[in-house]
Structures are given as C-alpha cells and as structure tokens.
Amino acid sequence: MTHPQSPSTWIHTTDYHTAGEPFRIVHEGLPELPGETVGERRVAAIDNAGGIDDLRALLCNEPRGHADMYGGFITPPDDVGAAFGVLFWHKDGFSTACGHGTIALGVWATDTGLVESDPDGITEVVIDVPSGRVAALVERSGGKLVGATFRNVASFVIARGVSVQTSRGEVTADLSYSGAIYASVRAQDLDLTVAPGQYTDLIALGREIKWALNESAEAQFADDPRLSGVYGTILWDDLGRHDGGPRQRNITVFADGEVDRSPCGSGTGARVALLADSGVLGPDETLEHRSIVDTVFSASWDAAAERADGTATVVPHVTGTAYQTGEHRFMLDPADALGTGFTLR
C-alpha cells in the first residue's frame, strides 16, 4: 500500500463499540472501487483493488488493531434509496453482513449529522451492505441515545440436524441464513458452556464446526454464490424464559477463530430464524440474547414473503446500543519493517 508520509495522508477513523464489540469506521480518503453495487465492490476489495485490502490489514492487524478487530469502509450506496454503503472487514477479509456494525453505523450517522436525526423519536438510517439493504432505526430522547435496532435482510432456516464430527464427538448443527450463513450448536452437546473460562475451547470447537461444514451442500447459497460458506459458528446456552420470550447466551466464532464480544447482530438474526421456525420465539415475543461478556441484544421478527422454493422467511429486528470510543489517526512509516502488521491468537 502507499505509505502515508505527511499528516494530510494519515488515515482517519472513528471507533465505536456495540455491546462490547469494536467497530472502526473509515469514511474518507478511500480509493474508488470498481462496481455498481456494494456486493461488486466487495469482490474488488477482496482482490485488493486500490490497495484497499492492505488498508484493511493495516487497521486490523497489530500493532494498530488485534485478532478480533472489526470495522467498515464507507462507500457510495447502490442507489439513492440508501444513505451510504459499507464494506465490512475483519482480520481474515471482507464479510457479507454485520449487525453490530450496522447498529454502530446508524448511531455514527446520526451523531455526525450525516443523516438528520430526530432528537425525540426514531430515525431510519438505510444502508447498503454486500448481502442487501438493511437499516438502523436509531431512537433518541432529548437528543440522547436510547437504542438502535438493526433491521436485517429476510432470513430463513437452511437445514436442521446436520451431523458434524468434532474432536469431542459427533454433534448436530442447525444452519440458517441472516445475511450470512451460521451453524448453531448447543454448547452442552460439546460438554461446554458459554463462559469466559472456556473461551479457548469454545474458539477451537467453533472453528472445527465451521470448517467441517463450510464446503457442505447445505452451505452453498444458490441465490448468490458470493454468500456461500459458513461464516460463523454459534455455540449457545438455554437460559430459560423471561416474561416476554426465550433467553439464551451465545458465543459466535466467525471468520477463522474471531470471537464476537457482542451477542452478534447477524448471528442473532440467524438464531431468530431458527427460533421463529420452531415456535420457540412467537411473533409477539422478544429474544433476550446475551454474549459471553454478558452484554445484551433483544430481538424479534416480522414475517416476510416465502422464498421461491416455499421456505418461510422472517425479517429479524435486533436492538442494542453503540457508543463512540475514540477518533484515531493512523499511518505507516515507510521505514517500518512490520509493514501492515501481524496477528497473534
């Protein structure tokens, strides 16, 4: 990548966290990418057009980031129906969906005035992402943030009871789609529970399951092959029910061993699709979804049109909060032998 050599070429970012999960926003100084849609620009980014994959690595890798860093590059929208587009990125590349990032982007857009915000109501921020068009519904009272709801693309169950061989024996996984494909496995089936003390084992088993299923027939997305493959493994615990619906805790192990500190926005959507299909989460109920660090999203759903093959779909609504953690200026000194950095797990 080009080595910034003066303050005018430094890389400016605005950082947020959503329920504990980082989201680093880059909204200026980006190369123009080929493509008419965000999905097409993601393909160009994967090919490192304009050196943008080098920029991702610089901001994600140590010493400027870490193995669990996450962020997004702001792009033009697909058309005038959205405020902007975004390319989501992590240590292993560019993802197709990101719910916690969408929540952070909605708050950022209304914090900065990019989208005019109702100080005493809900402001819709429409965003184009590689998996389609989503929205953040940002609620404020007296100008202060109350919360933001991520409205995802239509989501659905792909397959249930898919057998997976792991180092702890054979288990079954349920696959569902919510902007990306996730495999859900009950943690106790692996003799685990979603707790910080079991973090290392949870990562290891999450990776095993992802790679065991990634090339399976169930993980091939016929509508758009760019969305194929298992993006993440959701290991979950049942916490019973509250007055308004089910309670669960999860850890989402995505990409190649990266862990979502939040309850995972698009992963929560994938759980909603499964729970709505099974009747565990009714149309007037709310899922209380907790993370490994005990932060919370609440989630519900609206029915959507069936797919062409008759599969039922739902539109998940996932609510959380996001807060700014800082503004940063990064550079790469041309004499720095570490270049775009490194990751340690």
Side-chain angles (χ1 to χ4, degrees):
M1 67 174 288
T2 300
H3 291 246
Q5 298 183 50
S6 70
S8 64
T9 58
W10 285 35
I11 303 151
H12 297 254
T13 75
T14 304
D15 285 27
Y16 280 72
H17 84 86
T18 305
E21 176 71 358
F23 194 75
R24 177 165 286 168
I25 302 168
V26 188
H27 51 88
E28 59 182 33
L30 292 164
E32 184 174 343
L33 296 174
E36 297 299 317
T37 67
V38 175
E40 292 172 359
R41 294 185 191 106
R42 175 176 175 262
V43 173
I46 291 170
D47 291 336
N48 200 27
I52 199 165
D53 191 50
D54 291 333
L55 180 57
R56 173 202 61 79
L58 182 77
L59 296 175
C60 197
N61 292 344
E62 296 183 51
R64 298 165 189 84
H66 51 81
D68 295 284
M69 193 65 208
Y70 211 107
F73 297 136
I74 303 302
T75 75
D78 292 358
D79 59 49
V80 296
F84 53 88
V86 61
L87 294 175
F88 297 119
W89 47 260
H90 48 71
K91 76 176 180 66
D92 296 305
F94 295 89
S95 56
T96 62
C98 178
H100 92 272
T102 300
I103 290 172
L105 287 165
V107 176
W108 165 77
T110 53
D111 278 348
T112 60
L114 179 65
V115 174
E116 185 177 355
S117 177
D118 184 342
D120 286 292
I122 296 175
T123 302
E124 181 181 49
V125 181
V126 181
I127 306 168
D128 284 328
V129 307
S131 57
R133 179 160 287 175
V134 299
L137 307 173
V138 183
E139 182 178 1
R140 296 182 185 271
S141 177
K144 295 183 178 179
L145 179 68
V146 175
T149 297
F150 162 49
R151 186 179 68 222
N152 203 1
V153 297
S155 305
F156 54 91
V157 176
I158 297 172
R160 289 188 181 272
V162 179
S163 179
V164 188
Q165 189 63 45
T166 77
S167 58
R168 295 199 176 196
E170 185 176 311
V171 295
T172 59
D174 297 329
L175 274 68
S176 54
Y177 171 82
S178 192
I181 296 174
Y182 290 87
S184 288
V185 175
R186 191 164 178 151
Q188 74 173 30
D189 292 348
L190 296 160
D191 296 321
L192 293 169
T193 187
V194 180
Q198 299 192 22
Y199 182 74
T200 300
D201 288 340
L202 289 162
I203 293 173
L205 271 296
R207 292 177 76 185
E208 284 185 30
I209 293 164
K210 172 200 165 77
W211 293 118
L213 293 173
N214 194 60
E215 301 298 327
S216 67
E218 293 86 354
Q220 306 315 302
F221 200 83
D223 294 2
D224 185 345
R226 296 173 299 183
L227 304 179
S228 291
V230 174
Y231 177 56
T233 302
I234 301 172
L235 302 172
W236 61 276
D237 288 337
D238 185 2
L239 303 180
R241 293 183 68 86
H242 63 103
D243 289 344
R247 300 173 64 243
Q248 296 185 352
R249 177 176 285 111
N250 88 96
I251 182 172
T252 300
V253 183
F254 65 94
D256 188 22
E258 192 160 343
V259 171
D260 200 323
R261 274 79 173 130
S262 82
C264 187
S266 54
T268 297
R271 293 296 301 154
V272 164
L274 289 164
L275 296 172
D277 177 72
S278 65
V280 173
L281 179 64
D284 299 317
E285 293 184 323
T286 300
L287 167 67
E288 180 187 296
H289 212 207
R290 293 186 171 270
S291 74
I292 192 168
V293 297
D294 212 34
T295 53
V296 183
F297 287 160
S298 60
S300 58
W301 57 273
D302 291 330
E306 288 186 349
R307 290 170 52 77
D309 63 2
T311 301
T313 70
V314 298
V315 174
H317 296 253
V318 180
T319 301
T321 54
Y323 299 98
Q324 187 176 346
T325 59
E327 294 184 352
H328 306 282
R329 296 194 307 158
F330 294 101
M331 67 168 293
L332 175 56
D333 191 304
D336 187 348
L338 283 178
T340 56
F342 58 91
T343 57
L344 287 177
R345 171 59 63 196

